[in-house]
Amino acid sequence: MAFDIHSNHRALVLLPLCIYVVLVWLVAVAPAADMDKAYPVDARRTPTDLVRRGEEVFKAYGCVVCHTQQIRGDERLREQRGDRLVVPVRAPDARFGLDEPTRAEEYAQSRPPLIGTQRTGPDLTGVGDRLPSVLWHYWHLYDPRSVSPGSVMPPYRYLFRVTTEADGPGLAAHDGPFPTGKAWLLVGGVALAFAVLGWLMFGFTPALGLSLCLGVGAAWFLIRECQLCQPPPDQGEVVEDGIEALGLPEGARLVATPDAKALAEYLLSLKRPVRGP
């Protein structure tokens, strides 16, 4: 009797399953295995906590709107060079000095991949290789036109603090968001409000004293929460070299906040993976 797939229930199930497994192997598993062989895991970018934070800052400030991370290749001109199949970079992207298009493994640690959509600014593929100086990135963030004349990038000066010698060894005085006088006014105001509320609710009873204590505690809690929102001064990094070109007053120092430091570290981490043996 001839084999009839339409009447064989096992074939109806197994044939599509086998086709699916073969397609998954050809489309996903085999290319991934080839990529792992060519670019070992230990040769790829493994982000630290600081780099992860910098990536979040990068996304929060919308840097991906103007900076792409993709170098396009022209598949029509691909050629075999030894044991490698090389795809030439398209002419509009060749100005970034990269000889190969971006590959899938370069986005392995990005959540999500920050490919971008337009190039108002330069492409950032391999920027950690092209510009490996953290100071350059600090200058560029504080005043883009100091290192890139004609740049349309806005300055991110709020990522830095400008200090003088009177502020201490390169760090600004940090008393929290409230000077001492205003802090005491806040404590007094909240405590008075709680006391009035307690008097209206309970009159002159022991509960009035409890309301006053609660008011002092609430005010102190607000002050502490606001202070925790501010980065402590010992987390800043003093930038001294080359800041005379930034137009700062004489004797001033530039202090990079934790966000500026994290963003610079993220940009430095954007290096192209090293091809394995």
Side-chain angles (χ1 to χ4, degrees):
M1 185 176 64
F3 175 76
D4 184 6
I5 187 175
H6 300 289
S7 61
N8 190 317
H9 295 169
R10 291 184 179 180
L12 283 173
V13 174
L14 293 178
L15 184 60
L17 180 61
C18 292
I19 294 175
Y20 172 77
V21 171
V22 171
L23 289 177
V24 168
W25 176 267
L26 293 176
V27 175
V29 178
D34 181 66
M35 183 175 63
D36 284 340
K37 181 180 178 181
Y39 301 94
V41 174
D42 56 358
R44 303 177 196 172
R45 176 171 62 95
T46 302
T48 62
D49 291 340
L50 186 61
V51 170
R52 284 292 191 196
R53 177 175 178 177
E55 185 177 15
E56 293 303 317
V57 174
F58 185 87
K59 291 186 288 188
Y61 290 143
C63 303
V64 70
V65 174
C66 297
H67 292 283
T68 57
Q69 294 184 39
Q70 57 170 322
I71 299 297
R72 299 168 296 177
D74 194 337
E75 294 286 344
R76 299 169 298 176
L77 302 178
R78 59 182 178 178
E79 57 184 8
Q80 192 75 29
R81 297 180 186 175
D83 61 341
R84 299 174 59 193
L85 185 63
V86 178
V87 179
V89 173
R90 291 189 179 183
D93 298 354
R95 67 186 187 274
F96 301 112
L98 302 173
D99 58 355
E100 289 187 18
T102 46
R103 302 176 293 268
E105 62 271 15
E106 300 189 45
Y107 307 111
Q109 303 294 340
S110 297
R111 302 289 188 274
L114 302 176
I115 296 176
T117 59
Q118 62 181 346
R119 293 192 173 109
T120 304
D123 187 274
L124 297 181
T125 302
V127 68
D129 295 316
R130 304 197 306 268
L131 298 168
S133 170
V134 67
L135 291 176
W136 189 95
H137 291 288
Y138 285 154
W139 303 333
H140 187 242
L141 289 171
Y142 186 82
D143 184 5
R145 279 160 287 282
S146 67
V147 291
S148 299
S151 172
V152 297
M153 174 175 163
Y156 290 86
R157 297 184 178 178
Y158 48 84
L159 292 175
F160 300 85
R161 298 196 306 274
V162 177
T163 69
T164 61
E165 295 292 342
D167 295 323
L171 296 173
H174 185 80
D175 295 326
F178 300 102
T180 304
K182 290 185 178 181
W184 282 112
L185 285 176
L186 178 62
V187 171
V190 175
L192 180 61
F194 270 71
V196 172
L197 183 62
W199 173 70
L200 291 175
M201 294 179 63
F202 308 109
F204 291 100
T205 63
L208 180 61
L210 179 60
S211 298
L212 186 61
C213 293
L214 289 175
V216 173
W220 184 253
F221 177 78
L222 287 174
I223 292 174
R224 291 300 301 164
E225 284 297 309
C226 292
Q227 286 176 336
L228 291 175
C229 292
Q230 305 297 319
D234 58 351
Q235 290 186 7
E237 181 176 346
V238 180
V239 184
E240 298 186 31
D241 297 336
I243 65 172
E244 59 274 0
L246 302 180
L248 300 178
E250 185 177 356
R253 293 182 179 180
L254 192 65
V255 180
T257 64
D259 279 352
K261 185 175 181 179
L263 182 54
E265 287 296 325
Y266 169 68
L267 295 173
L268 291 174
S269 74
L270 298 179
K271 299 179 179 182
R272 309 211 75 177
V274 179
R275 189 178 182 90

